[in-house]
Amino acid sequence: MNIIRKGGIGTVNEIRKKFRRIRSEDELSFDVGRMNRDLLKRMLVICGRVGDKKAEQYERKAKDLESDFIVEKGRSWVLTQKTVKENYDPNYHKGVLLIGTNKELPATQISYDGVYAFTDYFIQDLDGDGIPDFPFGRIFGTPETVLYHMDPFIVDSDIAIVFDSQPSRSNRHVQALVELGFDVEVLNRYSKSDERLLSVSEFILQFSDGVFTSRIHGTPDKWATHNSVILSHDQASRIKFEGYPVVYSEACSTAQEGPLLKAFLNSGASYIGATLDTMNNMKPFDDWRTCAYCDGWKFGFLDLLDSHELIGEVKVAVDKTLAENLEPKVFEELENVRNGETTTLTIDNAVSTVEWILFGNPLRRTTVGPNAQFTPGKIIVDT
């Protein structure tokens, strides 16, 4: 049998081998329910310039949920932030959900090495100290997609999927998910036979460590190695998620509102990804909190999954912690962007801090299994 038990916490199918155990349909049937209504009423919804007809649908849904709803027609992220400041009550609201693409509800434009992108990082700073303050998510798409993300179904499966193009190289990420209480399945690429398993997952982790020519890279269209497609947008669109999993992608540029992101959102998943290049640390760090690279953000996110109740709280806690530990020159570069003096980033640590966006409902409860307890330890050089 190919199942390995780890300390009675979770289980893991280390590698997809020829004789991998196949789960029965009964083993892939789990309880599914709606999000807590008392929680959803504490969501502030801000809708961009999506058209009056769509905005009316979203306002009706917000009214049903008893959530506060505002239409923002400004054409600058500064105006969106002003609206948040005027309406967000930290003693009541648990998070903000933006509705609209970057064009419909503008984020902050950023660029690095000649590539332009955007981020919602700066909107989260309510008091002007350069540090993110509150849980935050964004969603866009057809009315059917947006309405679902406002009020999704949640599955209780404790299943996590790891996409790893070199599955025999290291089990560091697998062990992390096991310690978070998940039953872990490792896939080296998408297969149609895995659609059912993926559909009931709670957490999907795609990471990009290892040898450059073999690890997973990203584009707005797909996850791929240099010679193999790991998951395309067409493949992602075939998966119909039953319970709003959190997908975390470490690969470059997958959160640029392209076909891959749209496929995940349309299929009923929330998505955390980067809009620019993701960069690995070239020296070890004793603590992820001082590692402003993609490994620092990733392991920080995994570390805090068992420390907060909501995904949006986990995400903003990672953003806040990294920002508080930045070197002065990096913080200054971010301040120049926040103050409108430039849109260009030149420092790897600045890019690695602000490029991550949560597409989905920030009030989704955190994704962990029973007895979750994970601490990353030292961040190694894995490149």
Side-chain angles (χ1 to χ4, degrees):
M1 184 172 290
N2 201 29
I3 299 296
I4 301 173
R5 299 195 176 274
K6 302 277 189 178
I9 301 174
T11 63
V12 54
N13 178 339
E14 286 276 15
I15 304 172
R16 292 181 50 82
K17 295 180 179 177
K18 182 176 181 180
F19 300 109
R20 173 192 176 211
R21 181 178 72 89
I22 303 300
R23 297 173 187 248
S24 68
E25 183 58 35
D26 286 344
E27 291 179 294
L28 293 174
S29 297
F30 302 95
D31 292 334
V32 177
R34 290 287 191 185
M35 288 179 63
N36 183 284
R37 319 319 280 172
D38 290 334
L39 183 60
L40 282 176
K41 70 172 61 173
R42 299 174 71 181
M43 177 172 64
L44 173 61
V45 183
I46 299 180
C47 181
R49 294 175 287 107
V50 300
D52 292 344
K53 186 175 181 180
K54 291 180 180 178
E56 289 171 3
Q57 293 183 66
Y58 306 151
E59 185 172 15
R60 285 196 297 271
K61 182 64 177 179
K63 185 176 180 180
D64 289 342
L65 298 172
E66 300 182 66
S67 303
D68 292 330
F69 182 89
I70 298 167
V71 174
E72 172 56 60
K73 294 188 177 181
R75 297 177 181 273
S76 165
W77 73 268
V78 175
L79 296 176
T80 301
Q81 185 191 51
K82 182 174 183 290
T83 297
V84 174
K85 287 182 178 181
E86 292 172 348
N87 293 277
Y88 185 80
D89 180 356
N91 295 316
Y92 177 74
H93 293 118
K94 300 291 285 185
V96 174
L97 177 66
L98 297 187
I99 298 178
T101 63
N102 179 46
K103 290 183 178 180
E104 295 166 337
L105 190 57
T108 310
Q109 182 174 301
I110 53 175
S111 66
Y112 175 75
D113 198 24
V115 177
Y116 290 85
F118 62 92
T119 180
D120 286 326
Y121 177 92
F122 296 98
I123 297 176
Q124 299 174 100
D125 176 18
L126 292 183
D127 56 12
D129 64 353
I131 306 294
D133 296 311
F134 62 92
F136 195 96
R138 179 187 287 264
I139 189 63
F140 66 91
T142 65
E144 180 183 20
T145 294
V146 172
L147 291 170
Y148 179 76
H149 283 265
M150 291 178 72
D151 183 21
F153 286 100
I154 305 295
V155 70
D156 184 17
S157 69
D158 297 332
I159 291 177
I161 308 295
V162 174
F163 277 90
D164 181 1
S165 58
Q166 306 168 72
S168 61
R169 183 177 180 274
S170 170
N171 71 345
R172 183 173 170 84
H173 300 80
V174 171
Q175 184 63 37
L177 293 172
V178 168
E179 292 179 13
L180 286 167
F182 288 110
D183 295 330
V184 186
E185 294 277 352
V186 181
L187 311 180
N188 56 7
R189 62 173 59 85
Y190 164 88
S191 170
K192 183 173 177 55
S193 62
D194 294 316
E195 284 182 13
R196 179 69 178 128
L197 177 67
L198 286 161
S199 74
V200 297
S201 62
E202 282 192 43
F203 189 82
I204 297 174
L205 170 64
Q206 175 276 308
F207 71 94
S208 300
D209 292 342
V211 180
F212 182 81
T213 55
S214 299
R215 66 175 181 245
I216 299 175
H217 300 273
T219 72
D221 297 319
K222 60 183 177 294
W223 301 336
T225 64
H226 277 236
N227 57 14
S228 177
V229 172
I230 302 300
L231 179 75
S232 70
H233 66 89
D234 285 334
Q235 292 167 338
S237 68
R238 298 171 195 159
I239 308 165
K240 303 305 175 187
F241 296 104
E242 291 189 4
Y244 209 50
V246 174
V247 180
Y248 172 77
S249 172
E250 187 180 7
C252 302
S253 307
T254 65
Q256 287 192 10
E257 296 183 351
L260 181 63
L261 173 60
K262 292 176 183 177
F264 273 115
L265 297 181
N266 291 339
S267 294
S270 58
Y271 192 93
I272 297 173
T275 56
L276 288 169
D277 286 350
T278 55
M279 287 159 280
N280 291 328
N281 51 294
M282 301 306 291
K283 66 177 184 179
F285 288 80
D286 290 332
D287 191 333
W288 68 263
R289 292 165 179 82
T290 59
C291 180
Y293 294 92
C294 56
D295 260 6
W297 207 99
K298 173 181 58 183
F299 279 108
F301 187 76
L302 293 175
D303 184 17
L304 298 184
L305 277 177
D306 57 6
S307 303
H308 298 274
E309 293 183 359
L310 308 175
I311 284 296
E313 292 175 343
V314 177
K315 201 271 184 185
V316 74
V318 179
D319 289 340
K320 181 177 181 178
T321 301
L322 288 177
E324 290 173 337
N325 286 281
L326 290 175
E327 295 179 359
K329 66 176 182 179
V330 182
F331 194 85
E332 181 181 355
E333 180 162 280
L334 296 184
E335 284 291 277
N336 289 338
V337 174
R338 184 175 71 87
N339 292 327
E341 297 177 14
T342 185
T343 61
T344 301
L345 299 173
T346 63
I347 306 173
D348 291 357
N349 294 160
V351 176
S352 298
T353 301
V354 305
E355 64 184 336
W356 305 97
I357 298 182
L358 166 59
F359 288 94
N361 194 317
L363 273 60
R364 193 233 190 272
R365 71 169 183 251
T366 191
T367 51
V368 293
N371 305 313
Q373 188 172 4
F374 169 65
T375 302
K378 189 171 186 175
I379 306 300
I380 65 173
V381 175
D382 195 359
T383 187

